[in-house]
Amino acid sequence: MIGDFTRDMHVHSTFSDGRNTIAENVATARERGLGTICLVDHVRADTDWLPEFIAATRDLIETEGGRPEPLCILRGVETKVLDQAGALDLPPGLEALDHVLVADHQFPMDDGPHDPREVRAGIEAGRWDKGSLASVLIESVGNSLERVAGIGILAHMFSVLPKAGMSEADLPARGLEWLSRQCRRFGIATEVNERWGCPSGPTLEYFARSEVPIVCATDSHRIETIGRYDQVRRILASLP
């Protein structure tokens, strides 16, 4: 499955760092004729508002169910990969969720997450080399996938690289092939992210060849951008 512009699989709300409420996000998606919206907010292990989020989204889903052509409302959370073993920064109580979005907000290493600015400084100082770091990042993400088997989505995959002074060109082909197989093995999708413009077409091609589901996502933090695709269209158009 390669993209569907009537779906937006990554929209934030005031439950975390979005400007608008989940009700406003749903109303906007309906007005724009979307078929599916996934309501997603950032969580950490100590997040305590998840039961409230689940209850509020349940109310919206039940309301939509009474409409002649209801908008499909999915609910998820976005979490970061913590280390090379693939630990995820997740709270309990995820059973009611449709998706868990796995993101590289920081640079996971054997001893835990590192700020990408620290990684950039380490590269410039000669403490780390880009090739080794790229392999560690791929391994960290791939090792996390079993934990979210069947409901995981890779969110803005490799967006951490430019922040660390790297690029997707530093990623080894063998590692990308392995990661795409991991996605296939554990039933993981990957998004093409409008906000960050990633992953690139050449990276995404590995996942397309492995028949990994590829979904469209704006990563909206305000209603103005929900369902609006520009970079995503260009990336998908570049695939063979």
Side-chain angles (χ1 to χ4, degrees):
M1 179 176 66
I2 305 292
D4 179 348
F5 300 122
T6 70
R7 309 176 85 201
D8 193 338
M9 295 296 291
H10 191 160
V11 177
H12 290 285
S13 79
T14 50
F15 271 98
S16 58
D17 57 351
R19 289 188 191 175
N20 299 95
T21 66
I22 56 173
E24 290 171 328
N25 290 340
V26 166
T28 299
R30 191 188 307 116
E31 290 167 3
R32 293 189 179 153
L34 296 186
T36 301
I37 184 173
C38 189
L39 303 169
V40 175
D41 277 296
H42 295 282
V43 293
R44 298 181 299 191
D46 60 356
T47 293
D48 61 3
W49 47 256
L50 195 54
E52 183 183 354
F53 173 82
I54 290 170
T57 51
R58 182 186 302 119
D59 289 344
L60 288 169
I61 292 168
E62 290 174 354
T63 299
E64 284 294 323
R67 295 176 180 271
E69 294 183 3
L71 172 70
C72 177
I73 301 173
L74 303 175
R75 51 193 173 189
V77 293
E78 180 178 358
T79 187
K80 66 179 176 290
V81 183
L82 292 172
D83 58 29
Q84 197 168 348
L88 295 172
D89 198 2
L90 283 170
L94 305 175
E95 296 79 13
L97 299 178
D98 298 292
H99 293 293
V100 173
L101 276 63
V102 176
D104 53 0
H105 292 146
Q106 293 186 302
F107 213 105
M109 295 189 190
D110 185 55
D111 60 347
H114 288 250
D115 189 298
R117 291 170 295 186
E118 175 198 354
V119 175
R120 179 190 288 265
I123 293 170
E124 292 172 351
R127 287 194 294 122
W128 291 316
D129 71 271
K130 293 181 179 181
S132 297
L133 287 170
S135 294
V136 167
L137 177 59
I138 288 174
E139 183 179 350
S140 302
V141 173
N143 285 342
S144 77
L145 300 184
E146 185 173 4
R147 294 167 171 82
V148 292
I151 61 170
I153 299 176
L154 295 185
H156 49 74
M157 184 167 48
F158 304 127
S159 66
V160 74
L161 291 174
K163 303 171 192 173
M166 299 172 63
S167 75
E168 291 180 43
D170 296 312
L171 300 169
R174 182 176 296 180
L176 290 172
E177 289 168 354
W178 173 78
L179 182 57
S180 67
R181 291 196 300 270
Q182 284 288 92
C183 287
R184 181 76 173 173
R185 177 186 177 190
F186 293 114
I188 307 298
T190 184
E191 66 172 32
V192 191
N193 188 287
E194 178 68 21
R195 185 181 185 209
W196 295 100
C198 65
S200 67
T203 297
L204 198 61
E205 190 175 342
Y206 288 91
F207 296 83
R209 285 202 303 261
S210 293
E211 298 183 339
V212 173
I214 296 171
V215 300
C216 298
T218 60
D219 200 351
S220 289
H221 286 64
R222 51 191 178 88
I223 57 174
E224 289 82 359
T225 59
I226 292 173
R228 304 297 199 202
Y229 296 114
D230 183 9
Q231 296 197 85
V232 168
R233 290 180 185 274
R234 288 198 297 271
I235 292 168
L236 291 178
S238 72
L239 291 176

